[in-house]
């Protein structure tokens, strides 16, 4: 079920558009088909949303796995890379979070990254889950397991996830066409609704 957490924030200096679309990939293999699919989803979604949205960096979590799992024992370079990934995700307007379906759920790598995020780190962000399964039998489970964790982090998940089987990756644009038509407008409206508002000017 889609979930939405509308919590408008009043801030001194609200952010200025364009808004960023960030991609986070939880496949434990570098350069995976999941990462390629996630990048395509982000690119097509940003194009459908229009020019106020820009594609930002893709975070392939396997490249920062040492810092995710080792914490302070990781090298300084790895810790800095993790901090950068956390800041990128926390500042995004739209986050495409992708994972293969692994033993009926999403990967431990992705769960571990979500665990190191600060409380409510994704408040104000719209998240689009993307899951890739080898077979249809368990293809919905990763999406179902991921949503409660995203809600705990404050994310809004207002639309159905992109639920893919490996065979769908052969012609992804065709597979995504109807999903984009049905959901891009909802994502855009939710993103706008979640934008922080400026503090009211005191009356003199």
């Amino acid at each position: 079920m889609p979930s939405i957490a509308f919590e408008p924030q009043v801030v001194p200096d609200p952010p200025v558009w364009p808004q960023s679309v960030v991609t986070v990939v939880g496949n434990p293999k570098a350069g995976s088909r999941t990462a390629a699919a996630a990048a395509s989803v982000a690119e097509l979604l940003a194009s459908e949303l229009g020019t106020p949205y820009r594609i930002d960096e893709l975070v392939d979590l396997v490249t920062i796995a040492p810092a995710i799992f080792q914490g302070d024992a990781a090298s300084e370079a790895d810790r800095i890379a993790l901090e950068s990934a956390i800041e990128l995700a926390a500042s995004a307007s739209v986050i495409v979070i992708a994972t293969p379906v692994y033993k009926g759920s999403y990967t431990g790598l992705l769960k571990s990254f979500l665990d190191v995020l600060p409380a409510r780190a994704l408040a104000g962000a719209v998240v689009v889950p993307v899951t890739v399964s080898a077979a249809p039998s368990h293809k919905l489970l990763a999406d179902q397991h991921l949503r409660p964790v995203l809600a705990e982090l404050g994310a809004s998940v207002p639309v159905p996830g992109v639920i893919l089987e490996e065979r769908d990756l052969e012609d992804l644009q065709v597979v995504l066409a109807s999903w984009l038509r049905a959901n891009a407008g909802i994502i855009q409206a939710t993103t706008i609704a979640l934008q922080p508002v400026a503090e009211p000017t005191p009356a003199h």
Side-chain angles (χ1 to χ4, degrees), residues 40-200:
S40 294
V41 171
E43 182 178 351
L44 292 168
L45 179 58
S47 177
E48 188 75 14
L49 292 173
T51 52
Y53 296 81
R54 71 172 192 270
I55 291 290
D56 216 320
E57 186 175 339
L58 183 146
V59 179
D60 202 348
L61 295 180
V62 68
T63 64
I64 54 174
I68 294 174
F69 291 113
Q70 296 173 15
D72 291 341
S75 70
E76 181 179 2
D78 285 334
R79 294 198 307 272
I80 290 173
L82 175 59
E83 290 170 5
S84 176
I86 291 172
E87 290 175 4
L88 194 64
S91 65
S93 303
V94 178
I95 310 174
V96 174
I97 293 185
T99 177
V101 178
Y102 185 72
K103 294 186 178 178
S105 187
Y106 59 101
T107 64
L109 176 60
L110 177 56
K111 180 61 166 66
S112 297
F113 175 70
L114 296 176
D115 283 347
V116 302
L117 293 178
R120 309 292 295 172
L122 303 185
V126 174
V127 173
V128 176
V130 177
T131 64
V132 181
S133 64
S137 55
H138 293 157
K139 70 178 185 179
L140 298 177
L141 292 178
D143 181 80
Q144 292 169 355
H145 293 166
L146 185 55
R147 285 170 179 269
V149 180
L150 295 173
E152 183 71 18
L153 288 165
S156 294
V157 191
V159 299
V162 180
I163 312 297
L164 302 170
E165 294 178 43
E166 288 184 356
R167 62 184 181 183
D168 295 327
L169 304 181
E170 302 302 326
D171 203 353
L172 190 57
Q173 293 198 18
V174 173
V175 173
L176 286 176
S178 60
W179 185 92
L180 286 165
R181 284 195 299 270
N183 297 301
I186 299 171
I187 293 170
Q188 186 176 58
T190 307
T191 304
I192 293 170
L194 289 171
Q195 286 305 298
V197 296
E199 291 179 343

